[in-house]
Amino acid sequence: MHDQPDHIAPAHAEVAEIWPRDGRIRVLGHVVGAASGAGTLVARVRDAAGTELRLAAKGRGSRFEVSVPLDALASATPEGDRVWDLYLVPDGCDDALRLGRHLDDVPGKKKIFTYPAQRAGGLRIEPYYTVQDNLSITCRRLTRQREESR
């Protein structure tokens, strides 16, 4: 008899690696529930309807790679501290797949994985996992007090 998983992960863009450095955030992974990893990364500002940044995602088979340039992210960020939620729209697919890491055995990544912050356009920019183990990027305006606490 074959073991069956407790649940089957819904279609999503499974993150394998995150490389925040050199003025960009590079993300590598593969799609689950879609044929192609090539397509468009869509970054949407949480709680700011209509604010999006679209970037080309390279792909080979089900694998994808995308780099988010921090200057582009900073210039598109509305006033105040903001969170960008990340989605991949694979070529030939109408659905936006949420970027996240769900197929490993590490729940609760928000409290486990941390990534270095970078600065661009007066913002402190940092990728992080949400409580649902999805990938988002936080952008916080730099203030004198925040600068001195670093």
Side-chain angles (χ1 to χ4, degrees):
M1 182 165 231
H2 297 281
D3 288 336
Q4 296 295 318
D6 291 337
H7 70 283
I8 297 173
H12 69 281
E14 180 75 7
V15 173
E17 298 177 43
I18 302 169
W19 296 95
R21 64 180 184 206
D22 301 327
R24 64 188 178 138
I25 299 171
R26 185 172 168 233
V27 181
L28 294 92
H30 67 277
V31 293
V32 175
S36 172
T40 303
L41 176 86
V42 179
R44 293 183 182 138
V45 174
R46 192 179 297 167
D47 301 324
T51 304
E52 290 186 345
L53 179 64
R54 293 177 170 264
L55 301 164
K58 297 183 232 173
R60 182 173 208 171
S62 66
R63 300 201 177 281
F64 69 87
E65 176 181 340
V66 65
S67 287
V68 179
L70 300 188
D71 288 339
L73 194 66
S75 65
T77 299
E79 287 299 315
D81 295 347
R82 298 297 182 150
V83 173
W84 292 84
D85 294 322
L86 305 179
Y87 300 84
L88 179 71
V89 180
D91 290 341
C93 183
D94 294 331
D95 297 325
L97 307 178
R98 188 70 165 95
L99 268 70
R101 191 160 185 175
H102 306 285
L103 300 179
D104 60 11
D105 59 351
V106 183
K109 290 171 189 61
K110 183 178 179 95
K111 295 182 179 181
I112 298 170
F113 292 96
T114 59
Y115 298 95
Q118 300 178 78
R119 295 177 181 178
L123 296 172
R124 181 176 188 271
I125 301 173
E126 183 177 10
Y128 76 98
Y129 284 107
T130 68
V131 294
Q132 294 89 15
D133 293 332
N134 293 320
L135 184 61
S136 293
I137 299 172
T138 184
C139 294
R140 292 199 169 105
R141 298 278 168 207
L142 292 173
T143 63
R144 182 175 298 271
Q145 184 177 11
R146 284 185 185 160
E147 282 289 317
E148 291 171 358
S149 69
R150 293 282 160 207

